[in-house]
Amino acid sequence: MPTTGLHLGLSTLFIRQGLLSEAQIAEAINVSRKSKLSLVSTLVTEKLLSAKAIAELCYEEYGTPLLDLDEFDIASIPDDFLNKKLIEKHRCLPLFKRGNRLYIGTSDPSNIAALEDFQFSAGLHAEAILVEEDKLAKALEKILEEDLNSLDLSGIDEEALAGIEVTDTDKRHEESTGDSSDDAPIVIYINKILTDAIRKGASDLHFEPYEKRYRIRFRIDGILHEVSEPPISLSGRISARLKVMSKLDIAERRVPQDGRIKMKLSRTKSIDFRVSTLPTIWGEKIVMRILDSSSAQLGIEKLGYEPDQEQLYLEMLAKPQGMILVTGPTGSGKTVSLYTGLNILNTEERNISTAEDPVEINLEGVNQVHINLKAGLTFASALRSFLRQDPDVVMVGEIRDLETAEIAIKAAQTGHLVLSTLHTNSAAETLTRLVNMGVPGYNIASSVNLIIAQRLTRRLCPECKQAEDIPEHELLKLGFSKSQIDSGFTVFKPVGCDLCSGGYKGRVGVYEVMKMSDEIARTIMEGGNSLQIANQAKEQGMRDLRQSGLLKVIQGVTSITEINRVTSI
């Protein structure tokens, strides 16, 4: 912010020379404070004095060298000295270095604070050089707008960019922060980044400030890719814009905040972004999760289940009671699997309630509750309330503790279908996790119907994938059976083309679907471990994650490299 302080030397000089009256000076000072401009800039803007007259007078009074900026090459200024925060704050411009001296172009040589700040920043002795205010203003505008002009605004879909909704809350927020210019380059740039992320099928956007650079990355098909590196000087403006759009407090930079943005792409299509800010030592890192409600409308046939796995899932969804558990690490597609199941169950005859942290996708016809730990609304308390609301189907976002597990199991045993998730590595480990929480084995055996462990693997691009020749002994080491190898199949590898990202395009699920059988129930009640449970399930025909992944390789859907990345041999 430009300095607004009163420079008594200049004021006295103008009055003493008879150029301005005391009343005019007082009014100019008042205007400068309101407009947050320097006194010299105000005098020139208000046409009380010309920039040339002020410069010549200061030259005579202070003996400061006078430079014509029209004859100076702005591009010759070393980038090391272009501290844009100080330039904007003091409306001064570092011009050149001679020895251990840095010469600062200013229209107000009485502004000692500016020289001291530049001296401290550069570690050099700072000296003033007089320049005319109007020419300085043009030079400053060019320097300060340079960063914005360097932003990549090519290929902009104006219709899509115009579609970002601005609610009344957003407008009030923008008015209070002065960020209401809809055609400002920073606004256009952010809108372009958001629409690019949607076009490229990104799931997350990362805005990351560092000491000397700022980068923006998209997570596409589970992998982060750097897509833009705007100037570090724009870090604060990017954060402020995203926080305004998310209805967050832009003045609060010390604690994390969470918000949402809605982008309306057309009259019938909109995308939500879940926004999370995190204070780091170099500024606020902002991560945005794209919440596309259309992903909840996917048919189960598109998720990647093998026919027998899909049939098991549908059979368990059709049961009136019991528990279906989906497990896997963050980003493995658990939410989509659950929402797909809910979408199948979402009929007029059923009362469905969900407890989520947070609610990611809105489903019409489903009563969704956002968990609020600060207010005391936990998974357990929400689940208790659901049971008093005459539910048919209950979805609990995650079973994190014994209390939630016990209530969920009780609901499953008393005529309700319960869907939930845990964070474990396999279906068998899910059962032992419940035991370790303190749930009795007989309760687990009598309530759990189905467990699905899953991962997401990238699909090979059909346009550029290439066959690769792998010896039989290597295929056997990778886990393929002799019968699979003898039946003949082609292994493909990624190549990369204009239509994909590194040889991959989209993702598909890899699943381990374990039905609760009498044998597995007996193993649990006898205190069996996850290895014993897994072996029992495999004897009954369950494919583990690795085997399901290798089937995707045989089908030409993905590569061995991808399966090695998401599963273990």
Side-chain angles (χ1 to χ4, degrees):
M1 192 65 69
T3 184
T4 60
L6 168 60
H7 305 302
L8 296 176
L10 279 185
S11 303
T12 304
L13 177 62
F14 296 142
I15 294 171
R16 191 176 71 234
Q17 293 293 329
L19 298 174
L20 296 171
S21 66
E22 290 185 15
Q24 287 175 309
I25 284 291
E27 178 62 23
I29 292 172
N30 185 47
V31 171
S32 72
R33 284 174 175 164
K34 288 181 178 179
S35 62
K36 298 183 178 180
L37 294 173
S38 68
L39 177 60
V40 173
S41 180
T42 300
L43 292 174
V44 174
T45 303
E46 297 294 318
K47 298 183 179 179
L48 294 171
L49 287 175
S50 70
K52 185 175 182 180
I54 294 174
E56 290 177 348
L57 185 60
C58 289
Y59 170 71
E60 293 175 4
E61 180 69 19
Y62 293 97
T64 307
L66 182 60
L67 175 69
D68 184 356
L69 273 182
D70 285 345
E71 303 299 322
F72 184 81
D73 182 12
I74 300 296
S76 68
I77 301 175
D79 290 339
D80 293 346
F81 300 137
L82 288 177
N83 186 324
K84 295 183 182 178
K85 287 185 178 179
L86 291 183
I87 291 172
E88 193 169 9
K89 176 182 178 182
H90 294 295
R91 291 190 61 78
C92 296
L93 187 60
L95 297 174
F96 54 86
K97 174 190 171 188
R98 291 288 184 271
N100 66 342
R101 295 179 183 273
L102 180 63
Y103 291 88
I104 310 295
T106 177
S107 60
D108 181 1
S110 68
N111 190 356
I112 304 301
L115 298 179
E116 291 175 346
D117 281 355
F118 278 103
Q119 183 168 303
F120 180 79
S121 173
L124 300 169
H125 181 73
E127 288 196 12
I129 288 187
L130 261 174
V131 293
E132 296 171 37
E133 170 61 29
D134 53 353
K135 296 177 181 178
L136 175 63
K138 290 179 182 178
L140 292 178
E141 182 179 359
K142 181 178 179 181
I143 291 292
L144 295 175
E145 288 299 319
E146 198 171 66
D147 283 345
L148 291 175
N149 292 336
S150 69
L151 295 176
D152 179 15
L153 302 179
S154 60
I156 293 177
D157 183 340
E158 295 292 344
E159 184 178 349
L161 296 190
I164 289 191
E165 290 188 354
V166 180
T167 64
D168 291 340
T169 304
D170 292 328
K171 291 175 182 175
R172 288 195 300 270
H173 201 161
E174 290 180 352
E175 287 168 3
S176 67
T177 58
D179 185 15
S180 59
S181 177
D182 290 335
D183 60 348
I186 198 73
V187 175
I188 297 174
Y189 177 67
I190 292 295
N191 291 358
K192 179 180 181 293
I193 289 291
L194 299 187
T195 52
D196 280 352
I198 294 169
R199 288 193 194 100
K200 292 180 179 179
S203 61
D204 302 86
L205 298 80
H206 292 241
F207 296 81
E208 302 169 310
Y210 297 97
E211 181 179 11
K212 295 182 179 178
R213 65 187 293 245
Y214 190 98
R215 71 176 177 182
I216 299 174
R217 294 189 290 174
F218 292 169
R219 187 177 293 279
I220 302 173
D221 297 334
I223 306 296
L224 283 169
H225 303 270
E226 185 170 328
V227 296
S228 184
E229 188 174 344
I232 184 63
S233 59
L234 294 179
S235 171
R237 297 176 71 174
I238 291 173
S239 297
R241 177 60 191 166
L242 290 173
K243 288 166 76 174
V244 165
M245 295 172 71
S246 312
K247 308 182 189 70
L248 300 179
D249 182 358
I250 67 168
E252 180 55 78
R253 302 181 183 91
R254 300 165 298 172
V255 297
Q257 297 185 69
D258 295 302
R260 289 176 83 99
I261 296 172
K262 178 181 286 291
M263 172 180 276
K264 188 175 180 182
L265 300 179
S266 68
R267 292 181 180 178
T268 58
K269 174 74 171 176
S270 64
I271 300 287
D272 283 350
F273 295 83
R274 191 180 77 212
V275 182
S276 172
T277 72
L278 180 70
T280 71
I281 58 174
W282 304 115
E284 287 181 289
K285 173 175 179 175
I286 297 178
V287 175
M288 305 173 69
R289 166 68 57 88
I290 298 179
L291 309 175
D292 185 358
S293 58
S294 62
S295 64
Q297 309 300 322
L298 287 176
I300 190 171
E301 68 281 355
K302 295 184 179 179
L303 299 187
Y305 288 95
E306 299 301 325
D308 57 329
Q309 295 175 332
E310 179 182 319
Q311 186 60 35
L312 262 180
Y313 190 18
L314 291 174
E315 283 180 10
M316 296 306 141
L317 286 172
K319 286 186 174 292
Q321 68 181 55
M323 182 181 289
I324 298 174
L325 296 173
V326 181
T327 184
T330 300
S332 60
K334 299 188 299 296
T335 299
V336 172
S337 283
L338 284 179
Y339 276 128
T340 301
L342 287 177
N343 199 47
I344 293 170
L345 295 168
N346 188 12
T347 63
E348 185 181 345
E349 295 81 19
R350 291 189 180 93
N351 176 23
I352 304 176
S353 296
T354 72
E356 305 172 61
D357 184 20
V359 174
E360 294 194 359
I361 298 172
N362 297 324
L363 289 178
E364 186 176 348
V366 176
N367 308 293
Q368 296 173 279
V369 175
H370 184 101
I371 295 303
N372 187 339
L373 298 179
K374 292 181 180 178
L377 181 56
T378 63
F379 282 115
S381 62
L383 196 46
R384 283 196 196 92
S385 297
F386 290 168
L387 297 181
R388 296 191 291 270
Q389 294 269 316
D390 184 32
D392 295 300
V393 179
V394 170
M395 195 268 273
V396 184
E398 183 183 350
I399 294 178
R400 299 175 178 173
D401 51 50
L402 177 59
E403 183 182 18
T404 306
E406 287 179 334
I407 301 170
I409 284 175
K410 179 183 177 182
Q413 291 173 334
T414 55
H416 308 94
L417 182 62
V418 179
L419 285 71
S420 189
T421 71
L422 280 89
H423 284 94
T424 58
N425 292 323
S426 68
E429 288 178 35
T430 302
L431 296 175
T432 55
R433 171 67 61 83
L434 290 172
V435 172
N436 293 336
M437 281 184 181
V439 180
Y442 59 84
N443 276 342
I444 298 172
S446 64
S447 59
V448 176
N449 291 342
L450 189 73
I451 303 172
I452 301 171
Q454 65 181 76
R455 301 290 188 274
L456 287 178
T457 181
R458 291 183 289 174
R459 288 180 182 268
L460 283 165
C461 173
E463 300 298 327
C464 65
K465 66 180 182 181
Q466 283 185 1
E468 63 175 329
D469 186 25
I470 299 178
E472 181 177 324
H473 69 276
E474 288 293 334
L475 293 175
L476 289 170
K477 284 183 181 179
L478 289 167
F480 293 98
S481 67
K482 188 71 168 62
S483 60
Q484 287 175 329
I485 297 172
D486 290 342
S487 65
F489 62 88
T490 302
V491 177
F492 292 94
K493 64 180 179 179
V495 177
C497 65
D498 294 338
L499 300 176
C500 66
S501 176
Y504 297 98
K505 188 175 183 180
R507 288 190 290 179
V508 65
V510 174
Y511 302 93
E512 181 178 286
V513 181
M514 186 175 79
K515 179 183 178 181
M516 179 66 72
S517 65
D518 292 340
E519 292 77 10
I520 292 175
R522 189 177 301 112
T523 303
I524 296 168
M525 289 188 287
E526 292 174 353
N529 58 36
S530 60
L531 184 59
Q532 292 172 314
I533 296 171
N535 288 335
Q536 183 66 54
K538 288 178 182 177
E539 287 179 12
Q540 297 170 8
M542 183 196 79
R543 284 185 299 276
D544 62 21
L545 287 168
R546 180 73 182 181
Q547 292 168 336
S548 294
L550 295 179
L551 274 181
K552 293 288 188 288
V553 174
I554 292 172
Q555 295 162 5
V557 173
T558 191
S559 67
I560 289 175
T561 303
E562 266 298 283
I563 296 304
N564 287 339
R565 182 177 69 86
V566 299
T567 68
S568 56
I569 298 177

